[in-house]
Amino acid sequence: MIQAIQLILALSFLVLIHEFGHFFFARLFGVRVEKFYMFFNPKMSLVRFKKFEGKWHVKFFAPNEDEEWASHPEATEWGIGWLPFGGYCAISGMVDETHTTDDLEAEPQEWEFRSKPAWQRLLIIMGGILVNMIGALTIFVILMWHYGSEKLPLRNITDGFYYSQILVDEGFEQQDKILTINGEEPDVMEDVLQKLIIEGQREVVVLRGADTVALTMSEDFGTRYLAFQNAYDRTEREKKRADGSYTPKRYRLMEPWIPCVIDTVLPGFAADYAGLRAGDSIVAIDGVATPCNTMMVEELRKHPCDSVTIDFYRQGALLSTKAFIGDECLLGVQSLISFEYEHTSYTFLQAVPAGIRQGWGVLVNYVKQFRLVFTKEGAQSVGGFYAIGSLFPSAWSWYAFWNMTAFLNIILAFMNFLPIPALDGGYILFILVEMITRRKPSDTFLEKANEVGFWILIALLVLANGNDLLRIFF
């Protein structure tokens, strides 16, 4: 429920400011905005209000048709619809999802979108994209200023990494330390994932014990990883249906190697009842060696609603105990972490460039990984509202909420910039062609192009949300 609330609030915010961008430039250039709505309102609206004859008029749960209100077209009607899928800004004289050619008067009027010069129409269309980007950068700046930034440099992870099977297949060995990728030293773990999966870089140098080893990644590693991820998701869904066992939200490519030395025993959990203590070093679960925390967690997950034998060292002595780990396969311990995160605080003036760099980096990374969408594995990984909602934490966090809202703003800006009819990018493309050729597309052409673009968008929505349904039920 908390994830759903965060998703609805975030999407409402970014749609609101996106449409405000169109509204701002339309009014700046003297174009009438007939309606400004949060959510869609087929047939009726939850609430609608409009100022005319010197006062505000408000109606609740009212049908959209109103002759008195329609007699004042110069004023904008504001409202909230009942269908929570975005929103819209109905601009006078513009062929879009709210108007067809039949709605336009024979001759363009001075207050209409179509009567304005191309550069003004271009700014009106780009207004939504610009405001989404500005909104995202503003949020990142404020987060940097209020919370600062925190990272885990690779140099601080002294014990190396635990690598998933797909990286082991590429030649990695457990506890390898990554030195360079294509000759550059990655700073944090996210850099490794970006270079290997998103950018497709292949030449990796690792430190293995005292030796330096060069590895060459497979050329198709990015798509192989997506295929592995999709297969992993299917396996986890099958296990969930079969025995109700705990299912993680995503597959981890690599994780810091954390020895299973207990730092804290959580009261009321399996480890507490089994008599484990801080300082104990867990070495095996049911006879299977677990030299690191990730291997221990993976082994526990094989025994949902079951008891396991835990071998551990305490003050040099090898001991054993039994623990019932429940359906979530949780032992209830926190391992001792030897590495340190680095926290950086910012003044407001320092936060401005730091936030802009972060926002720009998010955009660049998203554009780079967009190429994977056009592969079979990438198409299967596309998600809709359920997938987006799962990115939010299950417990409320203002930092996570605003950070994800900024991320979604950047996604919306980029997706709207794609040259697909019915999206802002389609209008931008047509206006740029007009500015170059000095020939304006006809309103009939724009209407037909929007129809094509509309069905493309419907197909994409079906694909994304269809993948969500497959993940939930199959």
Side-chain angles (χ1 to χ4, degrees), residues 210-279:
D211 300 325
T212 299
V213 179
L215 304 173
T216 300
M217 306 291 292
S218 301
E219 188 173 358
D220 61 343
F221 177 73
T223 54
R224 287 182 56 242
Y225 166 74
L226 291 178
F228 194 89
Q229 169 74 73
N230 293 334
Y232 177 82
D233 288 343
R234 286 192 296 271
T235 301
E236 292 303 309
R237 292 196 299 273
E238 291 170 359
K239 288 180 61 178
K240 182 71 174 178
R241 288 194 296 271
D243 54 32
S245 58
Y246 171 72
T247 303
K249 289 184 179 177
R250 63 189 181 92
Y251 177 78
R252 305 236 353 154
L253 190 65
M254 54 188 285
E255 296 186 70
W257 184 280
I258 304 174
C260 296
V261 179
I262 298 177
D263 180 60
T264 305
V265 177
L266 302 178
F269 280 81
D272 186 22
Y273 294 122
L276 294 173
R277 304 175 189 169

Side-chain angles (χ1 to χ4, degrees), residues 402-422:
W402 284 113
N403 190 63
M404 184 55 60
T405 299
F407 174 68
L408 292 177
N409 262 286
I410 289 177
I411 291 179
L412 180 64
F414 172 72
M415 295 300 292
N416 264 286
F417 195 70
L418 295 177
I420 299 175

Side-chain angles (χ1 to χ4, degrees), residues 61-360:
F61 305 103
N64 295 331
E65 300 301 326
D66 191 306
E67 293 184 3
E68 181 185 12
W69 287 32
S71 64
H72 299 275
E74 72 285 352
T76 301
E77 176 184 322
W78 306 80
I80 300 176
W82 58 269
L83 191 60
F85 291 108
Y88 66 93
C89 176
I91 298 174
S92 183
M94 178 177 175
V95 178
D96 59 7
E97 70 275 11
T98 65
H99 293 102
T100 66
T101 53
D102 294 336
D103 299 321
L104 304 180
E105 296 190 29
E107 294 297 327
Q109 304 298 313
E110 61 178 5
W111 61 80
E112 289 187 323
F113 172 84
R114 56 179 175 160
S115 69
K116 300 301 178 181
W119 69 271
Q120 292 185 3
R121 285 184 278 120
L122 182 64
L123 284 175
I124 292 173
I125 294 299
M126 291 189 64
I129 297 173
L130 291 173
V131 171
N132 278 131
M133 281 302 302
I134 293 171
L137 296 179
T138 301
I139 292 172
F140 281 132
V141 167
I142 294 174
L143 290 178
M144 287 288 188
W145 181 37
H146 185 75
Y147 294 99
S149 64
E150 193 170 73
K151 67 177 183 179
L152 176 59
L154 293 186
R155 62 179 179 274
N156 290 5
I157 306 175
T158 55
D159 292 323
F161 287 91
Y162 170 81
Y163 295 99
S164 62
Q165 185 60 48
I166 191 172
L167 283 180
V168 171
D169 294 341
E170 293 288 332
F172 285 83
E173 293 186 5
Q174 303 302 350
Q175 293 192 270
D176 280 352
K177 301 175 184 177
I178 298 177
L179 301 178
T180 62
I181 301 177
N182 275 30
E184 297 183 359
E185 181 181 355
D187 182 29
V188 294
M189 191 161 60
E190 289 75 14
D191 293 343
V192 176
L193 305 182
Q194 175 187 326
K195 292 177 183 296
L196 296 184
I197 299 175
I198 299 175
E199 299 180 8
Q201 298 186 14
R202 302 177 60 196
E203 304 302 323
V204 183
V205 177
V206 302
L207 181 64
R208 183 172 295 164
D211 300 325
T212 299
V213 179
L215 304 173
T216 300
M217 306 291 292
S218 301
E219 188 173 358
D220 61 343
F221 177 73
T223 54
R224 287 182 56 242
Y225 166 74
L226 291 178
F228 194 89
Q229 169 74 73
N230 293 334
Y232 177 82
D233 288 343
R234 286 192 296 271
T235 301
E236 292 303 309
R237 292 196 299 273
E238 291 170 359
K239 288 180 61 178
K240 182 71 174 178
R241 288 194 296 271
D243 54 32
S245 58
Y246 171 72
T247 303
K249 289 184 179 177
R250 63 189 181 92
Y251 177 78
R252 305 236 353 154
L253 190 65
M254 54 188 285
E255 296 186 70
W257 184 280
I258 304 174
C260 296
V261 179
I262 298 177
D263 180 60
T264 305
V265 177
L266 302 178
F269 280 81
D272 186 22
Y273 294 122
L276 294 173
R277 304 175 189 169
D280 291 348
S281 179
I282 299 174
V283 294
I285 302 294
D286 271 359
V288 178
T290 55
C292 78
N293 188 67
T294 303
M295 296 176 72
M296 178 188 71
V297 171
E298 289 186 349
E299 195 59 36
L300 289 172
R301 293 184 63 246
K302 298 177 182 179
H303 305 277
C305 297
D306 199 2
S307 294
V308 295
T309 299
I310 302 172
D311 299 330
F312 63 97
Y313 278 97
R314 178 179 293 168
Q315 298 178 345
L318 180 62
L319 305 174
S320 293
T321 187
K322 297 279 287 186
F324 179 76
I325 56 175
D327 60 349
E328 292 191 341
C329 306
L330 296 177
L331 193 56
V333 297
Q334 294 177 347
S335 296
L336 184 65
I337 297 177
S338 59
F339 49 79
E340 293 184 0
Y341 286 80
E342 292 184 359
H343 182 84
T344 304
S345 298
Y346 300 91
T347 65
F348 180 75
L349 292 180
Q350 293 171 332
V352 172
I356 292 175
R357 282 196 303 271
Q358 182 179 4
W360 180 253

